[in-house]
Amino acid sequence: MIDEQLRKVIEGITNTYGDEFFVAITGHLHDIISADYTFVARLDLDSYQASTIALIAKGQRAENFSYSLLNTPCANVADNSVCFYPRQVCNVFPDDQLLIDMKIEAYIGTPLLNAAGAVIGLIVGLYEKEVPDGAQTKMLFQLLSGRIAAELQRHDYEQRLLLLNNALEEKVSARTAELERTLSDLQQTQHKLIESKKMASLGVLVSGIAHEINTPLGIAITAVSSISEDLRTLGKAISQRQLTIEQLRLFQQSTTELTELMERNLLRAGELVENFKKSSADQYSDEFGVVRLKAYYLLVVSTLKSFLKSNNVKVEIDADDALTFATFPGVHAQILTNLIMNSIQHAFGQTPEPLIKIRVRMDANGLDFLYVDNGCGVADMIKPQIFEPFVTTNRSGGATGLGLFTVFNLVTQKLKGQLELNADTGFSLRIQMPKLAQSSICRADG
């Protein structure tokens, strides 16, 4: 008899899954066990509640509902017990008002277990009359509980996968939009800088920053592509009903790792853009202010990282971390950028370990800035004209001869300082900058 009943149920649920499966199997069970109410419910042990996912009442599909497990026979089922009360179940559970209101006399329930053996749901049959023998019903419930539990897990994993996919898409979209806004800001800043003659040297930095940003962006794009491919594979497995828990576990692990990798690299790209925006904005600005020099110099150097790395150039900054100076920060950024780019373009052709050292000290006269590289130095024939415009030994390589001329003008006109070229080997430039008071400054543009 049980074999025939089981065969009917299995035939009735063939080619069904998800909500359709739960309604179909609950309906077939309801007919076979002749219950007044039959339902499959999902458990939430954190809130100690059950929520029906398929309910048949008096032979008709009914609206799902949630209820507390407290003081109900379902609480025992949630503890992984097969429960059967053939009569007077309301007397055993006098605080279960739902059973009382429904005038239930008999109760039978079986837990649904996941692969780890934890209870995730239950199958319940309710009767308004006593049931002397529930052996066949219990056996039928137990035989089908594994199939129902598997479908419940598959359904839950599918929903989680959908939520994960949606969350991932939202995160990628948000990060992409943020990056697009940042890049748009960068493009606007770049346009303004190039339009100004005094900031024309910054144009070359944009390509370096773009090159530097390409690495974290490339990693992020590769991660997104990998996740998309995994999603397609998973979707195919779901549509073919061949999805396994191991596949889902591996997908979750892979997606978590790739999402973290993507987030780190997008944040890195954002930091690079922000550093460039800060440096370039300062160079465009004539604002006077107090700046922590070492930290600011490190920020400027970070915007040149692409050029330094591609030429294997190391930069060392020797300065007190707490050293502050009232000055025009943007002018310092322009000076440092021009000096470093000048060394990269002219100094290190035959140098095995290119090195730039920057030393900054405060004394009674103001700021003492020393810039030294270990390159080939300055040719004797051009030393007297080193700070004049268009003086260069590398015009064929694209040099304009304006780098040190720009530095000279910025130091002498804007910072009221002095320059001294003082090395026979390599390139060594000492700049002395007096302390400036904002009220006494005569701006070069004025």
Side-chain angles (χ1 to χ4, degrees), residues 89-163:
V89 66
C90 291
N91 292 340
V92 181
F93 298 93
D95 294 325
D96 191 340
Q97 193 59 45
L98 183 62
L99 289 183
I100 296 172
D101 293 342
M102 295 172 67
K103 298 181 173 54
I104 300 303
E105 180 69 15
Y107 175 101
I108 186 166
T110 298
L112 301 174
L113 308 179
N114 64 14
V119 180
I120 59 173
L122 47 85
I123 319 169
V124 172
L126 303 175
Y127 299 82
E128 294 179 347
K129 296 180 180 180
E130 72 175 56
V131 180
D133 183 10
Q136 281 197 343
T137 299
K138 285 197 294 183
M139 184 179 297
L140 188 61
F141 275 18
Q142 288 174 310
L143 288 172
L144 292 172
S145 63
R147 175 68 179 89
I148 298 173
E151 184 62 25
L152 183 58
Q153 287 183 90
R154 192 203 66 78
H155 184 265
D156 287 347
Y157 278 127
E158 186 174 325
Q159 293 303 308
R160 289 174 193 167
L161 181 62
L162 182 61
L163 290 174

Side-chain angles (χ1 to χ4, degrees), residues 3 16 92 120 133-134 334 368 386 393 397 429 441:
D3 291 341
T16 64
V92 181
I120 59 173
D133 183 10
Q334 292 179 66
D368 183 66
I386 191 68
T393 57
L429 180 67
I441 292 170

